Amino acid sequence: MPETSATRTAYRTCPLCEATCGLTLTITDDRVTHARGDQEHVFSQGFVCPKGAAFPELLNDPDRLRRPLLRVDGTLREVGWDEAFAAVEAGLAAARGGGRDAVAVYLGNPNVHTMSGGLYVGPLVRALGTRNVFSASTVDQMPKHVSSGYLYGDPNAVPVPDLDRTDLLVLLGANPWESNGSLCTAPDFPGRLRALQERGGRFLVVDPRRTRTAAAADEHLPIRPGTDALLLFAVVHTLFDEGLVRLGPLAAHVTGLDEVRELASAFAPERVADRCAVPAPRIRRLARELVAAPTAAVYGRLGTSTVAFGTLTSWLVDVVNVLTGNLDRPGGAMFPLAAHQRTRAAGPGKGFRTGRWASRVRGLPEVKGELPVATLADEITTPGEGQVRALITIAGNPVLSTANSERLDRALASLDFMVSVDPYLNETTRHADVVLPPPDPARVGHYDFAFLGLAVRNVASYSPPALPAQPDGLDECDILARLTLIAAGQGADADPQGLHEHLLGQVLAEAAGELDRPVAELRALVVGDRPAERLLDARLRRGAYGDLFGQRPDGLSLTRLLDHPHGVDLGPLRPRLPEVLRTPSGTVELCPPPIAADVARLRAARDAPPEGFVLVGRRHLRSNNSWMHNVPALVKGRDRCTLQLHPDDAAKLGLAAGDAARVSSRVGAIVVAVEPTADTMPGVVSLPHGWGHDVPGTRQSVARAHPGVNSNVLTDETAIDPLSGNTVLNGIPVRVEPA
Ligand SMILES: Nc1nc2c(c(=O)[nH]1)N[C@H]1C(S)=C(S)[C@@H](COP(=O)(O)OP(=O)(O)OC[C@H]3O[C@@H](n4cnc5c(=O)[nH]c(N)nc54)[C@H](O)[C@@H]3O)O[C@H]1N2
Ligand SMILES: Nc1nc2c(c(=O)[nH]1)N[C@H]1C(S)=C(S)[C@@H](COP(=O)(O)OP(=O)(O)OC[C@H]3O[C@@H](n4cnc5c(=O)[nH]c(N)nc54)[C@H](O)[C@@H]3O)O[C@H]1N2
Ligand code: SF4
Ligand SMILES: [Mo]
């Protein structure tokens, strides 16, 4: 397209999912009018999905909030920023009369997709000093953090499958054809799996549903929900039983092998096959295939995390990769090294533990500084010292996203004060007394602190704002900085610049120590027009590939990334053992005692009688949890919020396509249209999450016209994986009957 004075092009990373694709934006008169895949992007090479293509609609959504809202006499009305922050100061101060823990925080998923989330949420949480920190992590991947924490001593050391080089990939509970991948950043994940097949490799999918990913796979192994830990333990059993364990060079770095062998003895394939609904000979063959392949990787995601044995399953994924010699080798499962990260000297570390404190009402252990969101409603509604009376939500919609959401909805309505940092007035933020809207994502800089450390190639890219700041807008870094200053007792009028400089000073002080240079000298070298850019520059320059503030002139810096709008390729993943390890022994501790102690619970489940129907989730390419249903291009077409079930089950229940079914669980009931499909395993029913947009008091007109039903009315807040506190969202016992 020819560029006129009013039309220009900007490149930026798509912030909408974990794939981090490069987008090429067309901007006319300071409005983004078109988005397509950036053909020259080093990582995504032109790939784009329907969500990325709908980026302009999302930015220009007329329902998006552009000014703060303040509740006055029961109604939310637009106010200026100063008035909004003054109300926050008053509201939090009143709640804190009940102690610091009286203020809770809920951090939603987009915090891992913004620079403000990566840089400013931590300081805010520390300034609040509350133990009541909750996040979407405990309805998602917390089991993987716990597993990594124990195995490697670092909960954030998560190995990713080396997609571009592996010969055999086994995916459990992941559906990248719809999700575009998770805890494995790989633009065009499907294309990478097709390339795997084209080079003679194979991939298998373990899933109770024949998903699009399963349909494209070389083989689909349907599994009874919640039983992957049994399946993987049977693979481990087979590896020992048939003398197939091959650690190779890993042997020097692994301890606890004999203990794992001992634990696996209870899980012969023949003992678990019925429960998993996977034939024993197929399980044995899977073990042999993993060993026979030149390289192989097992990868488990959401369907292995949000289950009753989430931590055990996440751990067993890595155990199998270790026992087959595939951890930390090309083509196996490897540890990425992002540009803002640093390598460390190998040696013993402090290790990992949970339970440094416990939740007040249910006594659930702290994990990574947070408590399970499954107990947020308990903390709000149970009187006593430390009761939560105020809530700060940042980029979250827990009323739709977390278990027993009707109960949480009522709990939020009972709070004394609530403030939400969010661009939408939705099912959660409608309860807020103050809503602070961040700018749309084209007006902020973007660097993926979370996902570049989970990417299948080491890459780096930074996108400066594509549009100027809105005149009366406030960058989310400034919003969070001002909240931090309020929490720190400095008041609603305190200047955030002081905090920005303080945070930069902290990074520079560490760098100065490492490089043995004065802080002031480094500070003079830092570039960047905005606080987040300056922090990024400092972190890149002291990072693994950094220019060390001029000492390594060809190294990375913000300037270098700005000069490369399509990203910088830092090469394929490289082995990182033992440097990545932080366990007390300095080894991969393969059989952590807390995990071993949970195996008795799995043994009991092995012999449990079969349940009736169980509910699992379902993602669709044109969705993103709860918050993109207000984009017309993403909700058009037939109703996607249906109950899928096997045609035989539907017939038995007397339900035909489109009939209304009543689905009920221990905690709630919904009525939803059924969609019989042989792609669903018998005994399993499936509903997508993130719907249920027909509640009063929201401002999402498109979503309201396509409301769907909320699947989390059915999920049970008392069902959690005990080691991680993660909610069980898949494998919920339900009753299904004609409505
Ligand atoms: N039953 C069931 N429940 C599930 C799941 C499931 O598979 N099944 N999946 C779970 C998973 S994996 C997750 S991650 C959670 C997600 O749980 P949440 O994070 O609580 O929910 P989201 O729908 O992602 O809500 C995101 C919110 O962030 C806002 N937002 C968007 N962009 C920005 C921004 O730039 N800044 C700010 N401040 N706000 C922004 C949106 O308006 C929205 O309110 O849901 C979980 N819930
Ligand atoms: N289009 C779209 N993309 C997204 C999101 C979205 O909402 N929509 N959300 C984003 C987020 S926050 C996340 S965390 C990722 C998640 O990305 P993925 O991990 O790929 O998650 P899902 O697509 O939910 O796929 C989970 C699969 O697990 C299966 N499953 C359920 N129970 C079990 C079980 O017990 N065992 C096994 N083996 N499988 C089971 C389900 O049938 C489903 O196919 O997606 C991200 N990308
Ligand atoms: S796959 Fe994810 S990152 Fe890529 S365009 Fe789609 S939403 Fe954006
Ligand atoms: Mo997620």
Side-chain angles (χ1 to χ4, degrees), residues 47-64:
F47 178 81
V48 68
C49 85
K51 287 197 293 283
F55 194 61
E57 270 189 83
L58 186 70
L59 304 175
N60 301 324
D61 184 349
D63 284 337
R64 180 179 275 273

Side-chain angles (χ1 to χ4, degrees), residues 2 173 499 540 603 612 626 680-681 723:
L499 180 66
L540 289 172
R603 272 200 304 271
S626 75
T680 308
M681 229 176 143
L723 289 175

Side-chain angles (χ1 to χ4, degrees), residues 208-209 224-225 612-618 642-646 649-650 653 655 661-664 670 672 674-677 680-688 711 714 729-737:
R209 299 186 303 116
R224 188 80 187 148
F613 282 111
V614 290
L615 174 71
V616 300
R618 181 165 96 236
T642 56
L643 185 79
Q644 293 187 343
L645 78 177
H646 193 274
D649 288 334
L653 293 164
L655 287 165
R662 181 175 187 275
V663 187
S664 53
I670 54 161
V672 61
V674 303
E675 182 186 351
T677 161
T680 308
M681 229 176 143
V684 174
V685 296
S686 163
L687 257 182
S711 67
L714 300 170
L729 301 172
N730 282 291
I732 307 294
V734 288
R735 236 182 105 83
V736 184
E737 59 212 323

Side-chain angles (χ1 to χ4, degrees), residues 18 109 112-113 136-137 139-141 182 301-302 306 619 624-625 689:
E18 301 185 33
N109 169 271
V112 286
H113 295 271
S137 289
V139 277
D140 188 347
Q141 83 291 356
S182 180
R301 199 44 285 271
L302 197 95
T306 52
R619 278 178 164 74
N624 200 358
N625 298 321
H689 74 285

Side-chain angles (χ1 to χ4, degrees), residues 273-361:
D274 283 351
R275 189 84 183 97
C276 300
V278 182
R282 183 65 194 95
I283 302 177
R284 286 193 177 266
R285 189 154 57 83
L286 180 59
R288 293 177 206 135
E289 287 167 329
L290 284 165
V291 176
T295 64
V298 180
Y299 162 68
R301 199 44 285 271
L302 197 95
T304 60
S305 232
T306 52
V307 290
F309 297 98
T311 301
L312 276 178
T313 314
S314 299
W315 165 72
L316 284 161
V317 164
D318 288 25
V319 168
V320 173
N321 286 330
V322 168
L323 297 181
T324 56
N326 281 304
L327 184 77
D328 198 45
R329 77 156 163 182
M334 304 188 77
F335 299 97
L337 180 61
H340 62 278
Q341 297 173 330
R342 294 168 327 122
T343 54
R344 305 167 287 198
K350 279 206 292 237
F352 171 76
R353 67 193 191 92
T354 67
R356 291 170 296 175
W357 59 88
S359 68
R360 179 180 65 103
V361 180

